[in-house]
Amino acid sequence: MTATSAAHPSGSTGEVAPQRLALVDLLDRVLATGVVVSGEVILSIADVDLVHVSLQALISSVRVDGDRPWPAVAGPTQSAHQPEER
Amino acid sequence: MGRPSPQQRIEVDRDSAERGLAALVLTIIELLRQLMERQALRRIDQGDLTDEQIERIGTTLMALEERMDELRKHFGLTPEDLNIDLGPLGPLLPRE
Amino acid sequence: MAEELGVWAYAITTFRSEPKDVAGVTGVDHEPVRTVEMAGLVAVVGTVHLDEFGEEPLRRKLDDLDSLEAIARAHHEVVAFAARRAPAVPMRLATVYRDDARVAAVLAERHDDLLLALKQIAGRTEWGVKAYAANAANATAAAGQAEADASSTRPGTAYLLRRRTQLSAGENARHEAAESARDVHETLSGLAVAARLHAPQDPQLTGEAGWMVLNGAYLVEDAAAERFAAKVRALRDRHTALRLELTGPWPAYSFSAIFSAIEDKEPSA
């Protein structure tokens, strides 16, 4: 078993800059994928729909009434340069 | 995190409520405009309109588009603001 | 009153760490990360306070984009840490067990499934490829320009003809983008052990104006990673109507569904 199994293959994949992971890409993965073993779990947001719906509802409400409770979430390249200074 | 203070927030809310309503109304009008436009084009293709009818419909839709632009700018809305998210159905209007 | 605690699960692996391996690694509640072992499996976990990470408080946190981000990133950091050392199956965000005993019981109960899942991702890495239709708007605008010199004696008619050209240019561009996306996905799937499509991302979250036509995840043998990246570059050259983005390497989030013979679940997508 090689310890490098999940590690970085040879580094000439130039597209993958060592910048901050985009939140959306992360959410695609941590919210909707991965092992789900419930039963006697205190909590499992395995029914992720709840989060999605809440988030979606929040976003939709932002869109309709024009109020932005937070600054527009920057795209992947921008977030690399801006620390949390909201 | 820079959320407006309670007092500021009232002002913000009133303006954005107005803007929000405007966005909603203009979105509906935009939807109708697009539907009418597509209907007109379909009938042109079908060939069952006279030249005068085509011209009249065209100038009307053109005027409507200009008026929409004015209203949109008046409320400080971008074209992207005029849309409604239908969740799993996607956006109401096609994203150009 | 004793503070109520729970055990947040990050990932499952077979790699047995020494305490020094996980020293300094912290989780969603800034807690020290540790492990629970059972039957040759190792769960990477952390003890969390239920007044912050119990059901109700957590739901509230997950509804707020800022705290959701903080939690998602913290969770991912631990998963990535585990995955760097050995194949690790990520747990879905917000899986909190009552105590270590329950975690150990899960490892025992789902032992075979978990081993199978680990076997399927060993020596492989997940890569993400997203594609945006870059030029639909340009096509529409260009079409409009071409017709702009049309007759001024019949401006209404000219307007409608221009709109028709624009609309069909837009439709053609969209169609081409969808076809290109399909080619990209099929080609990359051919280089991968497994492939999965995620839903297009919400533009409000991405801040991207373009239309996302592909959000794919690909499980690629580590030995083939270079070839995969090269193929992405080649596809980028081939499909000029698309903007391709490669993300990764990722822990195998998208390929970690585990199946139970008893429940007879279908693999997800």
Side-chain angles (χ1 to χ4, degrees):
Chain A
M1 178 186 72
T2 57
T4 53
S5 57
H8 315 264
S10 59
S12 54
T13 53
E15 299 83 355
V16 186
Q19 65 197 14
R20 217 154 166 235
L21 292 180
L23 176 61
V24 274
D25 296 335
L26 200 49
L27 293 182
D28 277 347
R29 288 167 171 84
V30 301
L31 284 183
T33 68
V35 171
V36 176
V37 182
S38 45
E40 290 185 58
V41 167
I42 295 172
L43 160 74
S44 177
I45 308 269
D47 37 349
V48 178
D49 297 346
L50 179 73
V51 175
H52 271 303
V53 166
S54 306
L55 209 49
Q56 199 60 25
L58 191 58
I59 290 168
S60 302
S61 69
V62 165
R63 200 172 277 157
V64 170
D65 63 26
D67 183 26
R68 294 188 192 275
W70 59 81
V73 179
T77 50
Q78 284 178 318
S79 64
H81 304 303
Q82 275 174 26
E84 265 91 324
E85 33 130 285
R86 303 182 194 133
Chain B
M1 206 198 92
R3 290 182 192 273
S5 68
Q7 246 140 348
Q8 281 175 289
R9 197 170 171 78
I10 298 172
E11 295 298 320
V12 167
D13 279 351
R14 194 180 298 137
D15 291 341
S16 29
E18 199 179 273
R19 253 173 94 243
L21 186 57
L24 197 53
V25 170
L26 290 177
T27 298
I28 303 298
I29 297 177
E30 175 63 13
L31 173 66
L32 292 172
R33 191 194 68 77
Q34 287 187 20
L35 290 174
M36 284 193 291
E37 186 177 85
R38 275 164 221 266
Q39 176 69 346
L41 292 175
R42 215 171 295 133
R43 295 198 55 191
I44 290 176
D45 288 341
Q46 283 166 9
D48 62 358
L49 294 174
T50 68
D51 287 353
E52 280 66 38
Q53 285 173 322
I54 292 174
E55 182 59 26
R56 198 165 47 236
I57 290 170
T59 45
T60 306
L61 287 174
M62 197 160 59
L64 182 55
E65 192 189 56
E66 280 170 26
R67 192 77 180 100
M68 281 284 304
D69 266 355
E70 283 166 24
L71 285 170
R72 194 175 46 71
K73 284 172 188 145
H74 173 78
F75 286 100
L77 297 164
T78 64
E80 290 73 38
D81 288 330
L82 300 192
N83 216 331
I84 297 176
D85 190 339
L86 298 175
L89 297 177
L92 176 64
L93 298 172
R95 295 195 223 278
E96 281 301 318
Chain C
M1 179 162 134
E3 54 181 350
E4 297 231 30
L5 302 172
V7 180
W8 183 290
Y10 294 96
I12 294 174
T13 182
T14 51
F15 188 83
R16 307 181 62 200
S17 355
E18 303 291 311
K20 63 172 168 56
D21 297 331
V22 293
V25 182
T26 58
V28 295
D29 199 6
H30 306 290
E31 84 282 5
V33 163
R34 54 189 181 78
T35 59
V36 171
E37 301 185 16
M38 167 63 71
L41 290 170
V42 176
V44 179
V45 303
T47 299
V48 296
H49 297 89
L50 293 181
D51 62 353
E52 296 272 323
F53 290 88
E55 179 150 358
E56 261 323 295
L58 190 56
R59 276 185 209 281
R60 268 179 272 122
K61 282 183 158 72
L62 296 181
D63 258 355
D64 174 83
L65 202 59
D66 286 335
S67 52
L68 171 60
E69 175 166 9
I71 293 172
R73 289 193 189 277
H75 180 83
H76 171 71
E77 280 309 308
V78 180
V79 172
F81 162 80
R84 274 193 289 274
R85 301 169 314 158
V89 165
M91 299 295 291
R92 187 173 292 193
L93 189 81
T95 306
V96 181
Y97 292 99
R98 208 178 287 134
D99 50 33
D100 286 8
R102 181 57 204 152
V103 174
V106 164
L107 293 179
E109 281 163 25
R110 309 304 292 274
H111 175 267
D112 293 350
D113 294 334
L114 289 167
L115 268 192
L116 180 61
L118 282 166
K119 188 161 157 257
Q120 285 168 343
I121 64 177
R124 297 157 177 176
T125 302
E126 173 173 333
W127 299 90
V129 175
K130 298 182 292 186
Y132 297 90
N135 295 320
N138 297 350
T140 324
Q145 274 306 104
E147 303 271 334
D149 316 310
S151 139
S152 58
T153 57
R154 296 193 150 252
T157 309
Y159 172 80
L160 281 175
L161 295 179
R162 185 166 71 242
R163 287 299 296 147
R164 180 169 62 180
T165 310
Q166 282 179 335
L167 284 178
S168 61
E171 273 166 35
N172 290 345
R174 269 187 283 275
H175 180 75
E176 190 193 335
E179 281 303 305
S180 297
R182 185 167 13 158
D183 182 53
V184 169
H185 182 63
E186 278 175 10
T187 305
L188 294 178
S189 298
L191 287 183
V193 166
R196 176 175 167 170
L197 290 173
H198 287 290
Q201 294 172 340
D202 191 312
Q204 276 237 341
L205 283 181
T206 63
E208 296 277 348
W211 175 42
M212 184 178 292
V213 292
L214 177 66
N215 187 8
Y218 306 91
L219 189 66
V220 179
E221 294 278 355
D222 289 346
E226 260 314 304
R227 230 180 318 140
F228 186 84
K231 185 58 80 172
V232 172
R233 287 193 292 272
L235 288 165
R236 194 175 275 142
D237 292 336
R238 188 196 304 174
H239 295 291
T240 50
L242 294 183
R243 180 162 59 85
L244 292 187
E245 236 180 80
L246 174 67
T247 66
W250 294 96
Y253 283 109
S254 309
F255 304 97
S256 297
I258 65 169
F259 323 117
S260 164
I262 302 163
E263 289 158 33
D264 210 39
K265 284 209 251 304
E266 284 298 314
S268 49

